[in-house]
Amino acid sequence: MSGLAHPARVGFRCDAGVKSGVGHLVRCVALAEELCARGVGVVFLGEVCGSAWARAQLTERGLPLVPAPREPARLAALACELRLDAVVLDSYDLPAETGAVLRDARFAVLALMDGDPLGQEADLYLDQNLGAERRPFPLPARRLAGARYALLRDSVRGRTRAAPGNGAPPNVLCFFGGTDSGGVAPAWARALNATGRPFLGTVVSPSPFEAGGPITVIPPTDRLPELMAAADLVVTAAGSAIWELLHLGVPTALTWVADNQRIGYDELVGRGAAAGLGRAPSEPAATGTLARLLADPAAREELGRRGSGLVDGRGRERVADALLALC
């Protein structure tokens, strides 16, 4: 679209909840922050269910949330009612024809993806996974691919990592998205304790549990960027938060809880930019890798060094430029 008589307006069709997690929401919030800073009108379309923390990400930024239908024609009608110029789709659960229906209604469409476009039709695709630029893409539409386009929140872009401790037990942060949709936090807490190494741990979990040892369990928090920047080691899944950790240069040990996370896991572990723990925290290899990292500050810092140059923090600016060019 061109020749707009009003400031651009962009809708984000993005759900978040206990089962789906909040990674899609977090990366959409990062792009929304960039668009709002440019005077673009932003509205979120969908449901944020079961997570007070996820709802707070919108309310604290003044980002409106409008319940949205799943049926594509009704979604297009809502986009027309809201006078949108473009719609960002970031969901694995939408009907495959959603993008096509929106484009037929003359809305520009940006679809976020993780390797597979899932049949979604769009004017522009974004795959921020490391190495995505080297993987084939079967569609003729333009694709923004690779960590050059990673979407980071204001709270991460404006932060630097704290200096690692000198000789003190390492500070370990363990989290698995805003909802721990796989319920794996207790098992990884047990794996950390099973190393027998000294450390001070913080585990983020929406469901409280008794971790024992030197571990404190806390609920999902807006202090996560602060906690990441202060950590000597982070144990997490290869989801959206990994780009924030790379930007900060925090040493990271990875697992995965969803099949689509294997792309980022394999790429980062293969590059030596993160330590690989596998999927099962009960495996001896996982405990052994954690024990080695807890005991070896130099090994931890090498991981952080290798990852720190991969995400420059300007990805959302590049994505916003490309999206607004469609408008």
Side-chain angles (χ1 to χ4, degrees), residues 72 76 89 95-107 109 119-123 125:
L89 302 178
E97 67 272 19
T98 301
V101 171
L102 288 167
R103 294 183 75 221
D104 287 345
R106 302 186 63 79
F107 297 103
V109 176
Q120 206 63 258
E121 185 177 317
D123 300 283
Y125 294 87

Side-chain angles (χ1 to χ4, degrees), residues 60-267:
E60 291 173 0
R61 293 170 172 84
L63 299 171
L65 174 65
V66 176
R70 279 182 45 82
E71 201 278 317
R74 293 176 59 205
L75 179 62
L78 176 62
C80 184
E81 179 184 332
L82 295 171
R83 299 185 65 212
L84 301 181
D85 301 296
V87 179
V88 177
L89 302 178
D90 191 1
S91 171
Y92 296 152
D93 299 324
L94 290 176
E97 67 272 19
T98 301
V101 171
L102 288 167
R103 294 183 75 221
D104 287 345
R106 302 186 63 79
F107 297 103
V109 176
L110 165 64
L112 276 68
M113 50 181 275
D114 295 291
D116 186 347
L118 301 176
Q120 206 63 258
E121 185 177 317
D123 300 283
L124 182 68
Y125 294 87
L126 167 62
D127 186 345
Q128 66 177 0
N129 287 285
L130 192 64
E133 67 277 12
R134 301 193 309 273
R135 290 186 281 273
F137 189 58
L139 302 176
R142 184 184 176 195
R143 178 181 60 151
L144 309 177
R148 173 176 168 80
Y149 298 100
L151 303 173
L152 302 184
R153 296 172 289 169
D154 286 340
S155 57
V156 174
R157 296 210 314 166
R159 194 174 297 277
T160 57
R161 185 189 170 209
N166 294 320
N171 181 11
V172 180
L173 174 66
C174 183
F175 68 92
F176 300 92
T179 63
D180 187 18
S181 58
V184 298
W188 283 106
R190 289 193 295 271
L192 282 166
N193 280 330
T195 65
R197 303 289 186 179
F199 70 94
L200 297 175
T202 300
V203 175
V204 181
S205 173
S207 301
F209 65 94
E210 182 56 52
I215 294 176
T216 301
V217 179
I218 65 172
T221 173
D222 282 335
R223 294 181 55 238
L224 192 59
E226 173 190 339
L227 295 173
M228 289 191 295
D232 297 304
L233 177 67
V234 168
V235 178
T236 190
S240 295
I242 191 62
W243 316 120
E244 300 179 340
L245 292 164
L246 290 172
H247 178 65
L248 294 170
V250 180
T252 302
L254 288 180
T255 181
W256 73 92
V257 295
D259 289 341
N260 65 291
Q261 294 176 345
R262 276 300 300 268
I263 298 173
Y265 177 91
D266 290 341
E267 186 77 26

